[in-house]
Amino acid sequence: MIPAAFDYVRAESTDEALSLITQHGDEAKVLAGGHSLLPLMKLRLATPSVLIDVGRLRDLSYLRDGGDHVAIGALTRHQDLELSDLLRADVPLLRHAAGQVGDPQVRHRGTIGGSVAHGDPASDLPAVLIALRATLVAQGPKGTRDIAVDDFFTGFLETALQPDELLTEIRVPKMAGAGWSFQKFNRRAQDWAIVGVACVRNGSTGIGLVNLGSTPLRAAAVEDALGSGASVDDAAAVADQGTDPPSDLNATPEYRRHLARVLVRRALEQATG
């Protein structure tokens, strides 16, 4: 398929990008690595009249020690996450999951901000950020605001970002020494996950689910069960509660529910050690 006609402009600074976003509003889409947006445009599921290219804004590509958290610029590429010594020490779950995204070509070009702002329930990193209870920072004409990850994903391919806002940073709590696991079931190594599970145990438990609803989901029933003293097996048995799995050529909803229970149990066992 060929995308609908659009205009293209490259932002040379964050301020210019915000100005262009404000100018064009809902008619514009922000282009970073392009691995999420361009396939939708080819299928005519997204038809922006203007593409605002922010891919060369190096001031939004960084990993910094923020004290009790790691601050990650929205344009940090997956490969930079995968190779980060800071994440290796303090947030190994995110480092590992970034290395499972797509193939090397995707990881060299794709960005964490693009993946998260796209809001795709089949994407790996949103579920990881849910498990880690990350905070997302949006910048707009009225300044910046912090958005808890549980409030960020609002609908299918929809987020809490306003039309005149740009996702600029992701803040991930440090989890050095925590137990963690990332489970991903797919047909081929480079495919989207049929079901995925991100889990971290650090006193309390955080679990994010991939491809089990219209948005990236938290396995709240499992977290609540564990908090009430349930065993790993009993908690994993309710992993599909609150989910609404899609049906496609890869799996039925019933099969995805089964996978959720199996993968959550495996993730909890691995994270518990």
Side-chain angles (χ1 to χ4, degrees):
M1 295 287 291
I2 299 174
F6 59 89
D7 293 329
Y8 169 89
V9 59
R10 178 185 296 161
E12 300 296 338
S13 68
T14 302
D15 287 342
E16 183 182 4
L18 289 169
S19 176
L20 290 167
I21 292 170
T22 300
Q23 175 184 344
H24 295 287
D26 289 335
E27 298 301 315
K29 288 289 186 181
V30 173
L31 175 69
H35 290 287
S36 298
L37 176 60
L38 293 183
L40 287 181
M41 292 177 61
K42 289 180 179 180
L43 293 171
R44 303 289 179 102
L45 296 176
T47 55
S49 61
V50 179
L51 276 188
I52 302 171
D53 189 346
V54 299
R56 298 191 183 186
L57 302 185
R58 305 315 302 165
D59 60 326
L60 294 182
S61 177
Y62 57 83
L63 289 112
R64 298 172 184 162
D65 189 331
D68 62 348
H69 68 274
V70 175
I72 305 170
L75 291 182
T76 304
R77 302 193 187 281
H78 302 314
Q79 186 197 35
D80 296 327
L81 302 175
E82 180 185 4
L83 299 178
S84 169
D85 290 333
L86 180 60
L87 292 185
R88 184 196 305 271
D90 292 325
V91 198
L93 169 59
L94 178 55
R95 175 185 175 275
H96 172 79
Q100 307 302 307
V101 175
D103 55 28
Q105 289 178 310
V106 170
R107 294 195 293 274
H108 274 76
R109 292 295 303 166
T111 65
I112 183 171
S115 176
V116 173
H118 188 54
D120 192 336
S123 184
D124 297 337
L125 297 189
V128 173
L129 297 183
I130 287 174
L132 292 167
R133 292 180 167 83
T135 299
L136 299 105
V137 181
Q139 185 174 344
K142 298 180 181 178
T144 62
R145 65 184 181 111
D146 297 346
I147 308 169
V149 68
D150 286 325
D151 298 326
F152 189 77
F153 304 107
T154 59
F156 182 63
L157 303 183
E158 296 178 349
T159 72
L161 286 174
Q162 297 300 313
D164 58 355
E165 288 183 323
L166 180 68
L167 178 65
T168 56
E169 186 174 273
I170 297 96
R171 296 173 182 165
V172 184
K174 290 183 177 180
M175 294 287 181
W180 60 273
S181 178
F182 183 68
Q183 301 287 329
K184 182 175 179 178
F185 186 86
N186 48 18
R187 295 176 61 191
R188 298 173 299 180
Q190 298 170 2
D191 284 349
W192 295 95
I194 295 176
V195 169
V197 175
C199 174
V200 62
R201 306 201 74 178
N202 189 32
S204 61
T205 302
I207 302 174
L209 302 174
V210 181
N211 221 354
L212 281 164
S214 60
T215 67
L217 295 176
R218 177 177 298 282
V222 179
E223 295 178 1
D224 291 344
L226 291 169
S228 299
S231 67
V232 165
D233 286 344
D234 288 344
V238 298
D240 62 320
Q241 287 189 12
T243 66
D244 185 20
S247 178
D248 54 31
L249 293 176
N250 292 315
T252 63
E254 292 75 19
Y255 185 54
R256 282 192 163 94
R257 291 181 186 276
H258 168 72
L259 283 176
R261 296 190 292 269
V262 171
L263 295 183
V264 166
R265 177 178 52 80
R266 291 180 183 175
L268 287 171
E269 289 173 346
Q270 185 176 41
T272 302

